Amino acid sequence: QKIQSQIREIEVSITRFKQDNRDNLPELGQANQQALERLNTTFRSIGGQVESLRGRVDTLQAQRAAVEAQGSDKGGSQSAVALETDLISLLSKYTDKHPDVIALRERIAEAKLRESSSAPVLSPAAAQLQSQIDAARSEMRFLEGQASAIEGQIKVVQERIVRAPEVEQAYKNLERDYENLQKKYQQLKDKQIEARIAQNLEEEQMGERFSV
């Protein structure tokens, strides 16, 4: 009965151990390795997409800067930097009092005021490019969030793989103790049976002697 009680206790311990380490059990070692490979592949793929989008943003920003510098075909607004470049060119030909120079200085002042406001006015071409830039950046943020989540999953799986030998050893110890108790229990059962047989034989012999 004492051995039976110990067997039940270790059975409960094994069940609890499996529940607490269900992701680190030895039989899941290959599955964890495969999961790690899949996660690493996905992480690298997302990293490549982010880099591609970052390059696209740089290209679009360069295009937008060029559009802003040139101004729209309908005399749309130019950037203050582009206008100042034009002013330098004009000053090489005319004095400060020239009407074109005066008009250009006024446009520069307007451009600086516009650019300092919270909602600068963009030309249609520049606005379209900015929309594409915003969309690319939004997609980048989404992918970076996914990459961060996958990176967390990778760390979890790596910890499982690192802990696997320790968990396997602890699991083997529990199984060994369980098997030893089972063997001890069977030995006691065998001895018990032998003792009962001997007792029965002795009682039969006593009965025979008594009858004689």
Side-chain angles (χ1 to χ4, degrees):
Q1 288 176 352
K2 181 179 179 181
I3 296 298
Q4 277 184 326
S5 177
Q6 292 177 353
I7 288 175
R8 284 193 294 269
E9 288 177 0
I10 200 168
E11 285 175 343
V12 172
S13 297
I14 290 174
T15 300
R16 186 181 299 112
F17 184 87
K18 286 183 174 181
Q19 291 174 346
D20 294 342
N21 300 276
R22 56 184 175 274
D23 296 322
N24 302 304
L25 295 175
E27 56 265 28
L28 296 178
Q30 184 176 358
N32 284 330
Q33 286 288 354
Q34 292 174 347
L36 181 61
E37 291 176 4
R38 287 195 300 271
L39 288 169
N40 280 325
T41 299
T42 303
F43 184 78
R44 288 192 295 269
S45 175
I46 291 176
Q49 294 178 58
V50 170
E51 287 302 316
S52 177
L53 285 168
R54 186 172 287 115
R56 175 172 169 76
V57 167
D58 291 342
T59 301
L60 290 170
Q61 285 180 326
Q63 292 176 356
R64 191 193 69 176
V67 168
E68 290 177 341
Q70 293 173 0
S72 68
D73 295 338
K74 297 182 180 180
S77 301
Q78 288 181 273
S79 68
V81 174
L83 292 172
E84 286 176 344
T85 301
D86 293 342
L87 178 62
I88 294 173
S89 178
L90 278 180
L91 287 174
S92 65
K93 301 177 182 179
Y94 308 113
T95 64
D96 289 340
K97 295 181 180 181
H98 193 279
D100 290 345
V101 173
I102 295 173
L104 188 54
R105 288 188 185 279
E106 291 176 355
R107 289 178 60 191
I108 291 173
E110 291 174 357
K112 288 183 177 180
L113 180 62
R114 182 178 62 252
E115 290 172 2
S116 64
S117 65
S118 59
V121 178
L122 299 176
S123 66
Q128 184 178 7
L129 289 169
Q130 183 60 48
S131 177
Q132 294 178 25
I133 291 170
D134 293 340
R137 284 175 172 169
S138 177
E139 188 174 357
M140 281 176 57
R141 287 192 294 271
F142 174 75
L143 290 173
E144 286 170 349
Q146 281 191 325
S148 178
I150 290 175
E151 191 173 15
Q153 294 176 22
I154 288 173
K155 290 180 180 179
V156 170
V157 176
Q158 286 176 335
E159 289 176 0
R160 291 176 186 171
I161 293 173
V162 170
R163 289 193 62 236
E166 177 186 349
V167 172
E168 182 177 8
Q169 186 58 49
Y171 185 63
K172 285 182 178 179
N173 291 340
L174 285 172
E175 284 188 322
R176 185 193 62 234
D177 294 342
Y178 181 72
E179 290 174 0
N180 289 339
L181 285 172
Q182 288 280 19
K183 289 178 181 178
K184 189 173 183 180
Y185 177 77
Q186 190 59 47
Q187 289 172 357
L188 289 172
K189 289 289 291 184
D190 292 343
K191 289 182 180 179
Q192 186 183 41
I193 292 172
E194 292 174 1
R196 285 177 178 173
I197 292 173
Q199 183 181 16
N200 290 338
L201 288 174
E202 184 176 353
E203 288 176 352
E204 288 177 1
Q205 291 173 359
M206 288 178 62
E208 290 176 356
R209 287 198 298 274
F210 187 79
S211 61
V212 171

